[in-house]
Amino acid sequence: MNFPDATRVFLNQTGEISRFAFRFFRQGLRTRYEWQELLRQCYIVGYKSLPLAALTAFIMGLVLTMQLHPTMVYYGVEAMIPAMVGISIVREIGPILTALIFAGKIGSSIGAELGSMKVTEQIDAMEVSGTNPFKYLVVTRTLASVLMLPVLVILSDAVSLYGSYLGINLYEQVQFNLFFKQILDSLAYQDVVPAIVKTFFFGFAVGIIGCFQGYNSSKGTEGVGRSANAAVVVSSVLIFILDLIAVQVADLL
Amino acid sequence: MKHQTDTRETVIAVKGLCKSFGSHRVLDHFDLTLQRGESLVVLGRSGSGKSVLIKCIIGLIRPDHGKITVLDENVLTLDHKAMDKMRMKVGFLFQSNALYDSMTVRENLEFPLRRHAFRMGQQEVDDLVMEALKNVGLEHTVDMMPVELSGGMRKRIALARTLILKPEIILYDEPTTGLDPITSREIINLINTIGEKYHTASIIITHDMKCVQLTAQRVAMLIDGRCYATGTYDALKNNPDEKINLFFQ
């Protein structure tokens, strides 16, 4: 059966990524864990992404509230703003926005870093130095992404809700305790848990795609740029696909 | 000054090595031997498969056919542990130096030590790092980042990293490419000094004729994927064969 070129390339790429992901699980379970490198990556991937994630989350919470306010006032339901903003941020906007920022910052950085290591033979040098480069580079970075994105999402959600609190206070006086009590009252278990669980998958997507693109980089410095770009594009698309699946699964539960 | 071969024990034997990339056959039944303490230069045109050859020897590229024996071990049948053990005895100087950009010079040099001999104490590691840096005359760069170093300094640091495990064999991938003539000469002198001091056997991949002349005890010509001819620099230079003569014109 003959596939068109684009379809064949897409299927090939999907197969390669699946094989790469399978290798991650196989290598990740083997002994000689790279704890030191994992901690270093958690610091880079998590802590160093926090200011950017927090800033965008804060602006999003503020803007969302400012844009919602006139409409809610028009319908006379401005008292529902905290609940509405709370649910939308915790369930969808927080995880998706943070994951996309994360893909842009971390996905591209992993893709470019591993890509340049590949073209300057640093990955080969690691292998010659008695190190399994896949474990040292791919497993640690992907695992750090899986572990750190949920933490970033939780913190971003909190900052975003604080932004929303400030936003609503631009129009009327609302007490801090009352605002957050209303949000917590409106949130149910099925709002919070699936929203957090899916961020582990988002983190995995960003980490594994960034590593895959970088690790398979070729064609010199041009290839490094392409790897970084492809890491962001593919992982962003994958985040939306995973989100779609997560919504369907959460609805079934 | 070229160091002398002290024994005739074979440390590397390559037999019938074949490697193709797609339809392009790079190595075609290539044969080669390296004796203990010997300095062998593999000379060939760009893209002729010289780097592929030494990457096959160190196990970074798997050949299609053939047999590679390094220090009595068949490289193609080694498992990961045995391969790591073999690689402790074989240093590799990459063409691009391959220094880890995110690490200081000290961390770059410590890396192979920590991976191969992770029970070593800090003092012992520090001593070995300083000794390796002293060998290349760059002790003052220990806390610098690779990006702060010149091309020649990077090459010497890469050489120090290769030396730190005191290998029995060193594979040099185009050690003088991209360097100015003076720095090239310094690197060539360093290669000869290391050979004399540690009695290492070495395969030097190059197309720099000055490097060939000054380092080679024996030259192997890689032409059309095969070991076309071997001999001393002078013998090959006086060889009337047209394909060989092209390199010496």
Side-chain angles (χ1 to χ4, degrees):
Chain A
M1 186 176 165
N2 285 331
F3 289 108
D5 276 355
T7 313
R8 204 171 54 233
V9 168
F10 172 76
L11 290 174
N12 267 342
Q13 189 86 338
T14 309
E16 290 292 321
I17 292 172
S18 308
R19 221 164 53 177
F20 195 78
F22 178 71
R23 194 174 162 198
F24 162 82
F25 289 110
R26 210 179 48 193
Q27 299 270 347
L29 293 172
R30 285 194 186 154
T31 48
R32 187 155 188 189
Y33 304 111
E34 305 285 355
W35 295 114
Q36 215 177 337
E37 180 62 9
L38 176 64
L39 283 175
R40 198 176 78 87
Q41 287 306 320
C42 284
Y43 171 77
I44 294 168
V45 165
Y47 182 74
K48 290 204 164 178
S49 304
L50 187 57
L52 183 65
L55 178 70
T56 48
F58 177 79
I59 293 169
M60 187 48 66
L62 187 70
V63 170
L64 186 67
T65 308
M66 287 166 73
Q67 289 195 337
L68 262 178
H69 191 265
T71 316
M72 299 296 267
V73 170
Y74 179 78
Y75 288 106
V77 285
E78 64 266 40
M80 294 299 290
I81 290 179
M84 203 168 161
V85 169
I87 290 172
S88 55
I89 284 174
V90 170
R91 279 191 74 149
E92 194 57 36
I93 297 172
I96 276 284
L97 185 76
T98 312
L100 290 176
I101 295 288
F102 193 76
K105 187 178 186 296
I106 299 303
S108 62
S109 121
I110 291 176
E113 186 191 10
L114 265 58
S116 69
M117 286 184 82
K118 171 92 177 176
V119 299
T120 56
E121 300 178 302
Q122 290 176 50
I123 293 180
D124 284 345
M126 257 181 199
E127 202 167 337
V128 171
S129 298
T131 301
N132 178 341
F134 194 92
K135 276 194 89 160
Y136 191 84
L137 299 171
V138 177
V139 174
T140 53
R141 278 159 181 74
T142 307
L143 210 51
S145 299
V146 172
L147 296 173
M148 288 297 108
L149 184 57
V151 177
L152 280 176
V153 167
I154 292 168
L155 293 171
S156 297
D157 283 356
V159 173
S160 195
L161 293 175
Y162 185 71
S164 172
Y165 164 73
L166 293 182
I168 206 161
N169 272 276
L170 292 174
Y171 302 99
E172 53 202 283
Q173 202 68 29
V174 178
Q175 275 194 337
F176 185 83
N177 289 352
L178 185 66
F179 180 82
F180 279 94
K181 186 179 181 304
Q182 223 178 326
I183 289 174
L184 292 174
D185 287 346
S186 62
L187 286 172
Y189 168 83
Q190 58 267 35
D191 295 320
V192 180
V193 174
I196 299 299
V197 170
K198 70 182 176 185
T199 59
F200 285 98
F201 291 93
F202 293 169
F204 180 73
V206 173
I208 205 80
I209 297 294
C211 289
F212 172 79
Q213 298 294 346
Y215 209 78
N216 294 295
S217 186
S218 58
K219 295 178 187 168
T221 46
E222 188 198 346
V224 176
R226 273 193 204 170
S227 298
N229 182 265
V232 178
V233 173
V234 178
S235 55
S236 300
V237 172
L238 203 54
I239 284 168
F240 282 110
I241 295 171
L242 286 171
D243 193 44
L244 184 69
I245 296 168
V247 169
Q248 303 298 321
V249 173
D251 280 352
L252 288 174
L253 298 173
Chain B
M1 195 173 74
K2 297 170 202 174
H3 52 277
Q4 294 301 307
T5 307
D6 46 7
T7 68
R8 300 307 295 170
E9 182 196 346
T10 300
V11 286
I12 292 180
V14 176
K15 200 155 178 57
L17 197 69
C18 296
K19 180 67 192 173
S20 299
F21 294 99
S23 59
H24 177 51
R25 177 159 274 203
V26 177
L27 296 174
D28 186 10
H29 295 92
F30 188 90
D31 297 326
L32 183 84
T33 54
L34 178 73
Q35 315 300 325
R36 186 170 292 281
E38 185 186 22
S39 172
L40 171 75
V41 168
V42 177
L43 182 61
R45 294 180 65 175
S46 296
S48 60
K50 304 186 297 294
S51 298
V52 173
L53 169 69
I54 53 170
K55 284 185 177 174
C56 285
I57 291 172
I58 197 79
L60 286 173
I61 294 178
R62 197 167 176 83
D64 302 329
H65 300 288
K67 192 180 176 191
I68 303 168
T69 311
V70 177
L71 298 165
D72 298 326
E73 303 269 18
N74 184 351
V75 173
L76 304 180
T77 57
L78 294 179
D79 60 16
H80 280 291
K81 260 191 180 167
M83 183 70 91
D84 283 348
K85 215 171 162 187
M86 182 274 282
R87 283 171 174 164
M88 277 181 75
K89 299 173 194 161
V90 184
F92 195 110
L93 182 71
F94 287 88
Q95 185 179 353
S96 59
N97 306 325
L99 293 177
Y100 308 122
D101 296 328
S102 58
M103 299 182 193
T104 61
V105 167
R106 181 194 299 277
E107 288 164 341
N108 262 284
L109 267 67
E110 280 182 3
F111 194 84
L113 281 177
R114 298 256 180 239
R115 313 306 296 187
H116 280 303
F118 47 92
R119 285 197 181 86
M120 209 173 259
Q122 186 58 45
Q123 188 56 49
E124 209 178 338
V125 169
D126 286 346
D127 291 347
L128 284 168
V129 167
M130 291 318 289
E131 187 194 333
L133 285 175
K134 200 175 167 189
N135 276 326
V136 297
L138 288 174
E139 299 103 303
H140 63 285
T141 63
V142 69
D143 291 316
M144 289 168 85
M145 297 300 284
V147 75
E148 298 172 82
L149 306 172
S150 68
M153 287 162 101
R154 280 165 173 244
K155 188 65 82 184
R156 281 148 73 186
I157 296 295
L159 193 49
R161 187 177 66 183
T162 308
L163 278 178
I164 204 156
L165 288 167
K166 301 204 166 63
E168 293 175 38
I169 304 164
I170 302 182
L171 309 175
Y172 297 91
D173 190 1
E174 313 227 4
T176 56
T177 298
L179 300 176
D180 64 80
I182 298 165
T183 313
S184 287
R185 192 59 185 262
E186 284 173 5
I187 297 295
I188 289 167
N189 289 340
L190 213 48
I191 291 171
N192 287 331
T193 309
I194 288 162
E196 281 169 14
K197 190 172 173 184
Y198 296 104
H199 300 287
T200 52
S202 51
I203 296 181
I204 302 158
I205 298 295
T206 190
H207 43 66
D208 172 0
M209 295 311 289
K210 201 76 200 163
C211 180
V212 181
Q213 190 183 2
L214 294 173
T215 58
Q217 289 173 352
R218 191 159 60 98
V219 182
M221 309 279 303
L222 172 51
I223 299 173
D224 300 330
R226 289 167 178 267
C227 186
Y228 191 78
T230 58
T232 61
Y233 176 84
D234 291 331
L236 289 172
K237 193 180 176 186
N238 297 322
N239 194 309
D241 188 297
E242 200 179 311
K243 281 186 177 174
I244 295 172
N245 220 256
L246 273 174
F247 287 88
F248 294 90
Q249 281 171 3

